[in-house]
Amino acid sequence: MPTQGRPKSQYGRLTALASGHHLATLTAQRVVEQGGSLIDASIAASAMLTVTQPHASSLGGCGMLVVYDAASHTVQVLNGTGRAPAATPVQTLQQAGAMPRHGVRAAVTPT
């Protein structure tokens, strides 16, 4: 679906939402408008990105979620980045100078 000329961000009375595709952003906005939390909206936007941008997002992918609770002044982090292949020696990654972007050594397994 072409997105040229379509806004990828939406503003509500109490929120500002953005994503990589306008339909995902609109989905998130509708969730908030119907009483959902911003976490609900994030999950809905991610699900929509699986459809609108399957090359960049999927249900089997990885993610990171940082939540600030204003009432308790606490931060919670959910790390869903997965595990790197156990058979890859650390020295191999150090010699490369960075984590590989392509190939089997770039893959992680969601936990």
Side-chain angles (χ1 to χ4, degrees):
M1 261 183 246
T3 61
Q4 291 84 4
R6 298 196 179 168
K8 293 182 182 178
S9 59
Q10 292 292 122
Y11 301 93
R13 262 187 344 111
L14 301 173
T15 61
L17 304 164
S19 76
H21 195 280
H22 69 280
L23 291 177
T25 305
L26 288 172
T27 299
Q29 182 180 14
R30 288 187 183 133
V31 168
V32 172
E33 288 172 351
Q34 293 175 7
S37 70
L38 292 177
I39 294 173
D40 296 331
S42 297
I43 293 168
S46 181
M48 181 58 85
L49 287 171
T50 299
V51 175
T52 59
Q53 295 181 327
H55 59 281
S57 179
S58 71
L59 298 175
C62 301
M64 180 74 72
L65 179 67
V66 180
V67 178
Y68 174 72
D69 183 352
S72 64
H73 303 289
T74 60
V75 175
Q76 295 181 9
V77 177
L78 173 64
N79 181 349
T81 55
R83 299 181 179 146
T88 302
V90 173
Q91 295 80 5
T92 301
L93 300 175
Q94 290 171 336
Q95 289 170 353
M99 289 297 291
R101 298 184 71 175
H102 305 285
V104 296
R105 289 196 172 109
V108 295
T109 305
T111 53

